[in-house]
Amino acid sequence: FLARAGKVCLVNRDRQALGSQRALQLKRRERQLRLVKRNKVEAPNWVYEVFMRLNAELFAGQLPRPTLKVGRPGKRWRSTSVFRPSLALIVISPDELSRGAQAVEASLLHEMVHQSLWVKTGRSEHEHGERFVAEANRIAKHLRWPLVTIHSERLEDWPRPV
């Protein structure tokens, strides 16, 4: 009986641990959403139009439409844009917006490659490893751009000149 009671306690403790992990995940997501709402504004409609065009042309319409915001991507990223899969969100910096449509398109395409990898693998990949290079080169071939390698200088800036 004691062994069984001990086992029940362990099972309950495991359930509580799983419940608290889930609660932490939900709290983290709520905090992220509050930050997004507070620090970022909705992207102009033309940015959504660019997303839809690139999605149809380069990804066969397979990418779900994310929320597009304009704001600072965050302290962790030194980039001009970021894809946040847990929020289905792409953030583009106001600096990119001020540089014009071509800069926004380049940033959006870069983040769409990250989104494509997330859709295919179910994992968030912030790195610019082999999978990123393969997807970037698939698009580069389609657009007749130069190919990149994993050792390309400033690969994180793709598709801007590397």
Side-chain angles (χ1 to χ4, degrees):
F1 175 76
L2 286 177
R4 186 182 285 168
K7 203 174 202 179
V8 169
C9 288
L10 284 176
V11 168
N12 287 337
R13 221 178 298 145
D14 288 346
R15 282 188 188 146
Q16 288 173 346
L18 286 174
S20 63
Q21 285 175 345
R22 181 71 180 141
L24 283 173
Q25 287 173 341
L26 290 173
K27 280 183 182 179
R28 192 176 305 128
R29 183 175 168 81
E30 288 170 10
R31 187 173 60 239
Q32 288 172 339
L33 285 171
R34 277 196 310 274
L35 284 172
V36 165
K37 288 176 183 172
R38 185 175 28 163
N39 298 328
K40 312 211 174 17
V41 296
E42 193 73 22
N45 284 338
W46 66 267
V47 177
Y48 279 97
E49 291 168 8
V50 169
F51 176 89
M52 299 305 280
R53 180 178 54 78
L54 291 173
N55 189 19
E57 187 180 316
L58 302 172
F59 299 95
Q62 297 296 309
L63 302 183
R65 181 180 159 180
T67 301
L68 299 172
K69 297 277 186 175
V70 176
R72 298 286 167 214
K75 292 178 183 175
R76 271 182 45 191
W77 296 277
R78 59 183 174 85
S79 61
T80 56
S81 60
V82 67
F83 170 61
R84 302 289 301 271
S86 62
L87 302 173
L89 171 72
I90 293 176
V91 180
I92 299 172
S93 81
D95 298 337
E96 289 296 282
L97 211 58
S98 69
R99 288 187 187 107
Q102 199 170 9
V104 170
E105 187 172 320
S107 287
L108 202 51
L109 183 55
H110 181 102
E111 299 311 327
M112 290 172 79
V113 169
H114 285 294
Q115 183 183 14
S116 171
L117 295 175
W118 176 69
V119 166
K120 290 176 182 176
T121 66
R123 293 193 335 233
S124 172
E125 296 187 26
H126 296 290
E127 301 299 319
H128 300 98
E130 292 176 11
R131 288 190 193 119
F132 184 90
V133 168
E135 186 70 2
N137 282 335
R138 181 190 67 78
I139 291 167
K141 284 178 189 173
H142 179 79
L143 298 174
R144 297 187 176 154
W145 289 353
L147 301 182
V148 293
T149 67
I150 200 162
H151 302 293
S152 294
E153 203 173 296
R154 307 284 297 158
L155 180 60
E156 65 269 9
D157 288 337
W158 183 90
R160 293 173 213 94
V162 290

